[in-house]
Amino acid sequence: MQQQDEVAARVRQVIDAAGVSAREFARRIVIDPSKLSRSLNGTRRFTAAELARIADIGGVDVGRLLGSAATPSPVRPVSGPRPSLPPPEGGRPLQIVRETVRLIAERGFHAVRVADIAAACHTSTAAIHYHFPGRDELLEAAVRWCMDEDTRRRADATAGTRHAGDELRLLIELQTPRTEQQRRQWCVWLDLWAEAARSTTVGRLHVEYYRQWRETVAEVIRRGVAQGVFRPVDADGAALALTALIDGLASQVLATEPGGPHDTVPYTGAQAMHDTLIAHVDACLTAAPTASD
């Protein structure tokens, strides 16, 4: 426990040196802010992958974070470009990023040109390049914004939720593409899987973010097991199965036009997807009620 507290203290020093809030630092290392908070408070351990990202973002050695005596120097040069900063909370950069996300969802990742984004923003390509030097930087900023928004929505929706069963159902509801915004988000995610298969920069970013998403689901399941809400299952395996089912059903929903002639076909509508996921949780995870219930 003492070592865990010491690691948390060193991570706090890295966050302070970065000059950003804990929430923003969580975004930069692609972790749910609530996880970072619990790790800093000593109720959760940092994973090895998280410590590696913290070291990379903070420009320190992992050994330094772990208190290794074999690493005398607290700071090391960071190779490659620094992580991109988030777009401001308003103004032209945020408009550019949002329009980029919309165009990616509508046309696909590789079909979006800077000229298209400029036209959507009613500005010039020079104005776009003023805020984002190149197309790659702009697309990466758009992907990071999507991930940040997804993390924020999950954190806001589940804030204060203590019952693991309720939290898992909230997460399922958030993943059900009922609205145009949710469908657009899913179109981006599905397109990013192709990027991940090609091992591009944004593809690797998506793989890491998706790993964090599965870990979030696994942690909820672990809490549910501890609470007696869920059966004593392998949380990692159950999270893998559930998130894979979510992906597969969402792909079918996206292939169905909302309100169209095929929207009532079983397992292709958003409500059918939601009902199937809840049935899966009830059948495979939910603990049987006891005699006292």
Side-chain angles (χ1 to χ4, degrees), residues 42-139:
T43 58
R44 175 185 179 274
R45 289 181 179 275
F46 285 105
T47 67
E50 288 166 358
L51 288 173
R53 291 196 301 277
I54 290 168
D56 185 54
I57 297 297
V60 301
D61 289 305
V62 174
R64 174 68 178 180
L65 294 178
L66 294 173
S68 171
T71 308
S73 176
V75 179
R76 60 173 172 79
V78 180
S79 59
R82 297 296 297 173
S84 57
L85 295 175
E89 290 300 316
R92 178 67 82 181
L94 185 56
Q95 179 198 18
I96 293 171
V97 165
R98 283 175 170 166
E99 288 299 319
T100 302
V101 170
R102 181 181 65 80
L103 291 172
I104 291 173
E106 291 178 358
R107 306 181 185 182
F109 201 79
H110 289 283
V112 177
R113 303 174 305 162
V114 174
D116 300 326
I117 299 167
C121 294
H122 305 288
T123 188
S124 64
T125 56
I128 301 295
H129 288 306
Y130 174 80
H131 296 287
F132 301 95
R135 179 179 179 273
D136 290 344
E137 289 83 0
L138 175 52
L139 294 177

Side-chain angles (χ1 to χ4, degrees), residues 188-201:
V188 174
W189 291 150
L190 294 179
D191 213 35
L192 284 175
W193 275 119
E195 291 301 303
R198 299 184 183 99
S199 297
T200 63
T201 299

Side-chain angles (χ1 to χ4, degrees), residues 150-173:
D150 191 50
T151 300
R152 180 188 60 78
R153 280 193 294 269
R154 290 205 310 263
D156 290 347
T158 59
T161 305
R162 296 293 178 262
H163 188 281
D166 292 342
E167 183 169 352
L168 190 60
R169 284 166 173 77
L170 283 171
L171 291 177
I172 287 173
E173 179 60 36

Side-chain angles (χ1 to χ4, degrees), residues 105-106 177-180 183-184 187 249-265 267-271:
E106 291 178 358
R178 301 183 189 275
T179 67
E180 185 60 33
R183 290 178 69 91
R184 185 181 301 124
C187 284
L249 289 170
S251 298
Q252 295 185 39
V253 173
L254 275 251
T256 303
E257 189 68 24
H262 303 294
D263 198 37
T264 57
V265 176
Y267 310 114
T268 59
Q271 187 59 46

Side-chain angles (χ1 to χ4, degrees), residues 13 19 100 117 182 205 208 221:
Q13 292 175 354
T100 302
I117 299 167
Q182 288 172 318
L205 183 64
E208 177 56 30
I221 294 174

Side-chain angles (χ1 to χ4, degrees), residues 1-2 9 12 20 36 51 73 77 79 83 105-106 151 154 202 210 235 237 254-255 272-273 280 290:
M1 178 61 75
Q2 181 180 354
R12 285 195 193 92
V20 298
L36 178 60
L51 288 173
S73 176
S79 59
E106 291 178 358
T151 300
R154 290 205 310 263
V202 293
Y210 198 84
L254 275 251
M273 170 182 171
H280 172 81
T290 62

